[in-house]
Amino acid sequence: MNTTIEEKDGVMTVAFEGRLDTINVPEVEETIRPIYTTETKEIILDCSKMEYISSSGLRIFLSIAINSQETGKHVTVTGVNSFVTNLFEMTGFTDLFDFR
C-alpha cells in the first residue's frame, strides 16, 4: 500500500494505492495522521488506485468520518472501484461520505 498526502489550494488529498488491509493499516494510519490536525476543511480521499479494503481499512475510513464530523471538515471519496463501492454500500459507509 502506498499512501500519499498533498495539500494544495486549501484542499488536502489523500491518495491510496494498492491493498488496504491488516498488514499495512499501521503504516497508513501514521501517514494520514496530518488530516486529523490540519486546519484544511476540505479533504479528498482518492481511491482510484485502491484495489482492496479489509475491515481494518474500513476502520481507518470510519475514524476519518468521525474526525471530520467533530471538526467540521468535508470529506469527498473519489475513484472507488466496484468491489470497494459494494463494501461501502453494505456497511453503510455511503452515508458517511460524499462520493464522486
Side-chain angles (χ1 to χ4, degrees):
M1 166 62 61
N2 185 29
T3 309
T4 57
I5 295 180
E6 178 183 334
E7 190 167 355
K8 183 177 179 182
D9 298 329
V11 177
M12 182 173 279
T13 301
V14 180
F16 300 95
E17 183 177 348
R19 297 174 56 89
L20 181 51
D21 55 27
T22 305
I23 294 170
N24 50 42
V25 161
E27 178 185 333
V28 172
E29 286 177 324
E30 184 64 31
T31 302
I32 68 166
R33 189 173 309 274
I35 69 171
Y36 298 117
T37 57
T38 186
E39 292 184 23
T40 300
K41 295 295 184 185
E42 187 68 33
I43 298 172
I44 297 173
L45 304 178
D46 179 0
C47 299
S48 59
K49 294 183 181 177
M50 185 168 65
E51 301 164 4
Y52 171 83
I53 187 169
S54 70
S55 59
S56 299
L58 286 174
R59 282 195 300 277
I60 289 177
F61 276 71
L62 181 59
S63 178
I64 293 169
I66 290 169
N67 176 266
S68 67
Q69 290 173 355
E70 291 174 350
T71 58
K73 295 174 183 150
H74 179 257
V75 180
T76 303
V77 180
T78 63
V80 181
N81 69 32
S82 61
F83 172 81
V84 176
T85 297
N86 289 336
L87 191 57
F88 281 162
E89 288 173 351
M90 288 188 309
T91 56
F93 276 52
T94 51
D95 297 333
L96 300 176
F97 300 101
D98 180 16
F99 282 83
R100 303 234 166 112

